[in-house]
Amino acid sequence: MTELCKYADKVLKEALKLGADYAQVTVSESEKKEFNVDGGSFSLMRTLFNRGVSLTVLKDKRKGSVSMNRFGDAEAANLVKDAMDACLSGQPDEAWEYCAEPCEEEFEYGAPECDTDKLFMRTRELLNDIGERYPKILMEQMITDHTAAKVVYLNSNGVCYKTHNGAYGFMLMYSAHDGDRGTSFFYNGVSTKTLDRPVIEEALLDKELSQIQAQLDASPLEGKFMGTVVLAPGALTEIVLQTALYNFVSDGSLIDGTSIWKDKLGQKVADDRISLSFEPLNDKMVSGSRYTSEGFKAENYDVIRDGRLNSFCLSHYAANKTGNRPAPNDSGCLVMKTGDKTLNEIIAGIDKGIYVMRFSGGQPAPSGEFSGVAKNSFLIENGRITRPLTETMISGNVANMLNDLVGISSEASVDGSSVLPYAAFGGVTISGK
Amino acid sequence: MLKDELRSCTGGFEKGLHTELRGQVSRSRSAALLNGNLISNSRTDVSGVSARVYKGGVYGFSSMAEYSSQAADKVLKAAHDNAVFMDTHVPAGKPDIKPLGKGEYVTDVNITDAPQKTYIDFARQLDDYVAKACPKLISRRIMAVEDSVEKLLKVSDGTDAHTALPRSYVYAMFTAATPSGQPVELFKAFGGEGTFDVNFADPAELYADIDKLYQSILQKADGVYADAGMKTVVLGGMMTGMLSHEAVGHTVEADLVMGGSVAGKMLGKQVASPLVTLSDFAYEAFGKRAPLPVFVDDEGTKAGDVTLIRDGMLVGYMNSRQTADHFNMAPAGNARAWSFSDEPLIRMRNTAVHPGTSRLEDMIASIDDGYYLIDSGNGQADTTGEFMFGVTMGYEIKNGKLGRALLDTTISGVAFEMLKTVDMVGDTVTWSSSGYCGKKQPMPVGMGGPALRCKVMIGGR
């Protein structure tokens, strides 16, 4: 860490010497251990030694950013020169501003040290567990890893953060096969601080493996109807949350004015039961950042609180451009407030709809309109799941769906980088063959 | 040109174990304007070495963010140790990779580096034009970007190579409003292989294309929703390229075949109309240089074309050296790595349906009630061959003539069923190469094809 600090300090001083009004430097060093399984068999072990340095400078309200992974006196000088050249090639913009107050802190969290033997043991155990419990599942690819990183952030306002953290990661991509029958692929993952328990017990891995195996008996949905979709956490993110966050409350759509929520701050945009927040400091998150990319200490914040738009997800630049407040973190670690009914109780109240595990769709329109294919889905009839479905088209409008909530489950997927329940929405067009 | 720091390191290759050692420099340049505001102005330079060692059916790999002979020695040892760990703990007991014989390839591509001002000034001038020439836009984005990769590869067996692949693009993304005030978007990429200063001498050369894009988005803003259901359509060449890559190409990557892809049961079977032939081209296609040429892959295999579908019959897979041995096929240079810290994976290069004999006008004229679908924003496909593509630009076809433009919609289907409905193939190939294919690592790829007349499920509203 000392060497990283020295290098960051050298780059920062060099930037100020060359005339930067403001500079911020991030220097990092990391090591990753990784196991790969392909087609159900171990295929690869990787060890990656990485490092990097990035520099952002401001001069006369112009901004330039450069990153590289070469270190040394000459390289530091080149980095600063490139950043200043880039900066001075741009045009001034009053909105560029970095105003974090002086602060010095060290953070150590997650799993900074890797137990490689135990990671391998848990990986092999996971593969064996899946083989025993779900013999029809074929693991197309499984990647398990541990990454440990030391990072120093320094800026010319007197802010210094030193971070030492790490995490174990497990990413699975699989489908089920039985003779000539096969399912669509599915993927899920989890990140953890420890290897204390079998990985199959984490998040929704076991349940979702079971559901994919049950997809082998899928058949087409006939006809077209307006109904309710119950979205598993993955599909909830893909269809609703990403669209709402990217199209309605992020930098680009607010700066260019295309967000349909641009004038909705403080107003109702969703059902009262919906609360959505970014919580990097939540204990359930494995590696949420402790500070923002602009040098502020991170705080959790609500985007939607009890159905009302509480905050946009803006950088300082976008906040200055639009006259809004910047977001208190870099908008990672999504949490949706759970409801008071179980998933089964929600399904019990649905006459006709589908349960969707994954969504394959086009880029959502700025208006919130979406259409695409409900993957790995099941038909809901008269309050219960009746059969698995082959690919079914669904379409609707995310902004409308948020106000047509049927229910949010009391159980949630906790995968180390988010806490998300199941959620059911009405008013969605569901089309079969 | 990348200096050879690896020459002295091949002595560290363990005898009898297939070993690859790669040094690499990658760089990216970006300037982005949003409504005239310079929101991105960045440059990245990354270099390093990696090694991969094969032992008994499993690989060990290691990389280090430093391009030097000392770093090469370290990653060779770490990769070897990892291969031994795997062979000890999960022995696959497989034979050595089949030898290819030694060879050497040295690129003649020289990567130059334009200053950041070049990107910013180009984007600024083009943006100024858009601001004046396209007054009805409610938002505009202009990006000038380049990413370039230069590699040195040493292999214990195969072709040692010095390769270089620069590519650069200008992206224009427009937003207009429908009469009811709903925003609609349209995007176009210009450029291809080559550094930015070579590909983009003068912004004025793009003005005519910008004018066309503007007319298209105005038509789209006045457009209608497609009627949902199974329709006869003409897919434009860009859509055919997406289909070739996403819906067919991925299913015939040999690693995904081993992972359960539908193509595993279809080799030698009719999967498309006899009018359809589809190949993954290495560095030339249809008598011209391919959009993103690959001459040697990152396993030291000299690249050649792979015919995947011939006259409607599935005849091949894309392979690494390991999967080629498994399927008893010849590797053809599909094992590609993106960053220095990435191991080679089976990837496409330039994947396209071969042209036929039909003229686009005749194809459109042959349809009474259908759609001409021109451009796709994105696409996703399943290892079952099921696909879904967003359609960002298209038109109705009524009584053989183009009608109103379409608002955003999607098409979906099963590739090996849908391709059997192809009954006309256009005579002109259109390519795209601006995006990245995602499969553990990003990878620049070319995709293309002619217009196809076929039946497909369209999403409607």
Side-chain angles (χ1 to χ4, degrees), chain A residues 34 36 46 69 91 367, chain B residues 37 41 47 124 182 341 440:
Chain A
E34 180 186 289
N36 284 216
R46 304 203 308 156
N69 65 354
Q91 81 271 22
S367 60
Chain B
N37 300 299
N41 176 19
S47 58
R124 164 70 55 206
Q182 294 296 317
S341 57
K440 191 179 181 190

Side-chain angles (χ1 to χ4, degrees), chain A residues 140 173 175 177 180-185 358 360 373 375 390-391 433, chain B residues 242-253 256-257 259-266 271 278 309 314 379-389 411-420 455-457:
Chain A
E140 295 181 25
M173 180 175 161
S175 49
H177 297 267
D180 282 344
R181 296 182 304 159
T183 71
S184 293
F185 73 81
R358 183 165 75 87
S360 174
V373 180
K375 295 276 191 178
T390 54
E391 297 201 337
K433 291 271 182 185
Chain B
M242 183 73 85
L243 181 80
S244 305
H245 176 94
E246 293 287 353
V248 179
H250 281 302
T251 67
V252 291
E253 292 170 330
L256 296 189
V257 172
S261 146
V262 66
K265 303 167 203 146
M266 292 187 163
V271 296
L278 190 154
I309 297 174
L314 184 65
Q380 297 172 26
D382 208 305
T383 45
T384 56
E386 293 160 319
F387 66 87
M388 194 296 310
F389 303 147
I411 57 169
S412 63
V414 179
F416 294 145
E417 291 174 11
M418 178 270 211
L419 283 172
K420 288 177 184 165
K455 287 188 170 57
V456 71
M457 180 70 77

Side-chain angles (χ1 to χ4, degrees), chain B residues 168-222:
Chain B
S168 54
Y169 299 89
V170 169
Y171 303 119
M173 181 182 283
F174 293 171
T175 309
T178 65
S180 65
Q182 294 296 317
V184 294
E185 293 179 336
L186 199 56
F187 160 90
K188 191 162 182 63
F190 310 97
E193 185 197 7
T195 52
F196 194 88
D197 49 344
V198 172
N199 282 351
F200 298 103
D202 181 0
E205 292 171 1
L206 297 182
Y207 290 172
D209 289 311
I210 290 291
D211 293 344
K212 277 188 207 163
L213 187 65
Y214 181 53
Q215 291 308 314
S216 295
I217 194 169
L218 293 184
Q219 291 171 357
K220 180 175 173 179
D222 260 338

Side-chain angles (χ1 to χ4, degrees), chain B residues 331-398:
Chain B
N334 286 96
R336 307 172 65 197
W338 172 234
S339 168
F340 73 89
S341 57
D342 289 328
E343 75 281 14
L345 301 176
I346 297 172
R347 309 305 294 260
M348 286 170 255
R349 288 91 42 102
N350 302 280
T351 315
V353 172
H354 293 227
T357 56
S358 297
R359 296 188 319 146
L360 178 62
E361 308 87 271
D362 296 337
M363 297 167 79
I364 291 169
S366 71
I367 295 175
D368 287 336
D369 183 16
Y371 297 102
Y372 174 39
L373 308 176
I374 301 170
D375 233 330
S376 176
N378 66 335
Q380 297 172 26
D382 208 305
T383 45
T384 56
E386 293 160 319
F387 66 87
M388 194 296 310
F389 303 147
V391 179
T392 55
M393 193 67 217
Y395 295 89
E396 295 174 321
I397 302 175
K398 298 288 184 191

Side-chain angles (χ1 to χ4, degrees), chain B residues 30 36 38 142 147 197 241 316:
Chain B
S30 170
L38 183 66
I142 301 291
D147 60 52
D197 49 344

